[in-house]
Amino acid sequence: MAANSPAPAPEEPLIRVEKFNYAYGDHQVLFDVDLNMQRRDVTALIGPSGCGKSTLLRAINRINDLVDSARVVSGRITIDGVDLYAPEVDVISLRRNVGMVFQKYNPFPRSIFENAVYGLRVAGVKDRHDLEEAAERSLRSAALWDEVKDRLDEMATGLSGGQQQRLCIARAIALQPRILLMDEPCAALDPIATARIEELIHQLRGQYTFIIVTHNMEQAKRIADRTAFFYKGKLIEEDDTMTIFNRPNDPLTESYITGRLT
């Protein structure tokens, strides 16, 4: 770059959370949350149980709409400038672009193949060749293809826990979303299966924008580009992950990551 060339403009955040307040009935759980998330980053949300991090995660693809009492009090969340709670937003289309993987692996009581292509069938894809290509692509992306390619017609519930969780990831990415939300994806897994999921996230980083809720501090350090710490419904601090863990600005953050605050 020439000496006098201007520095490239910083990339606009993919997701903006702006003064976001959220409640279940009269019980407010998020307070004035401001948070930007860059495209293709892995962002970890950490904090004690009940601090609002899973609520924020579920607000991003509006799965909380299924809870009758859930409501946005004020503020907004945008993806590429589009307000997710605007009346014209198609929630089904939103969820195709924002996939979700839950804490407890939840394959459907169907074959491995039918789990992998479930979202595509719901979206109206019927061509067998297209479905087979999508199944192989997503299972390969989830590092599961070599383990299941000869038994795609077997029930998904016969897989190990770690395999079932990777199948759920394959099911989410078959629709080729831009964003993957993960709510404690390794909480129900043993250390070996956890390592496989973390390795998978490393392999997929750069293809998707990840937002991951985790209680595992070491996991956040291993996988996240940036980390946001929540406490009692408020975003206390957000920064580069190594800064959060090595040089936190807020005493509350330091107390939490050192185990003095639970």
Side-chain angles (χ1 to χ4, degrees), residues 46 217 244-246 248 252-261:
I46 64 171
M217 298 300 96
I244 288 288
F245 284 98
N246 296 328
L252 272 175
T253 310
E254 183 174 14
S255 293
Y256 181 72
I257 63 177
T258 56
R260 298 195 302 272
L261 176 70

Side-chain angles (χ1 to χ4, degrees), residues 101-145:
V101 177
F102 297 91
Q103 174 179 340
K104 176 63 178 172
Y105 40 86
N106 60 340
F108 301 126
R110 304 181 180 197
S111 70
I112 295 167
F113 177 83
E114 287 300 330
N115 268 270
V117 302
Y118 178 80
L120 293 168
R121 286 204 186 276
V122 171
V125 178
K126 297 179 180 179
D127 184 85
R128 180 72 184 187
H129 178 71
D130 290 343
L131 292 171
E132 288 175 350
E133 280 193 341
E136 180 173 350
R137 181 180 64 248
S138 61
L139 289 167
R140 283 190 184 279
S141 294
L144 191 57
W145 175 252

Side-chain angles (χ1 to χ4, degrees), residues 49-71:
S49 296
C51 68
K53 54 191 185 295
S54 289
T55 293
L56 177 61
L57 194 77
R58 290 162 178 259
I60 294 173
N61 73 342
R62 291 185 53 177
I63 199 167
N64 271 347
D65 287 12
L66 303 174
V67 180
D68 289 341
S69 62
R71 62 190 178 93

Side-chain angles (χ1 to χ4, degrees), residues 62 76 81-94:
R62 291 185 53 177
R76 65 181 196 156
V82 176
D83 185 345
L84 303 189
Y85 288 84
E88 65 271 17
V89 167
D90 181 344
V91 178
I92 294 174
S93 178
L94 169 65

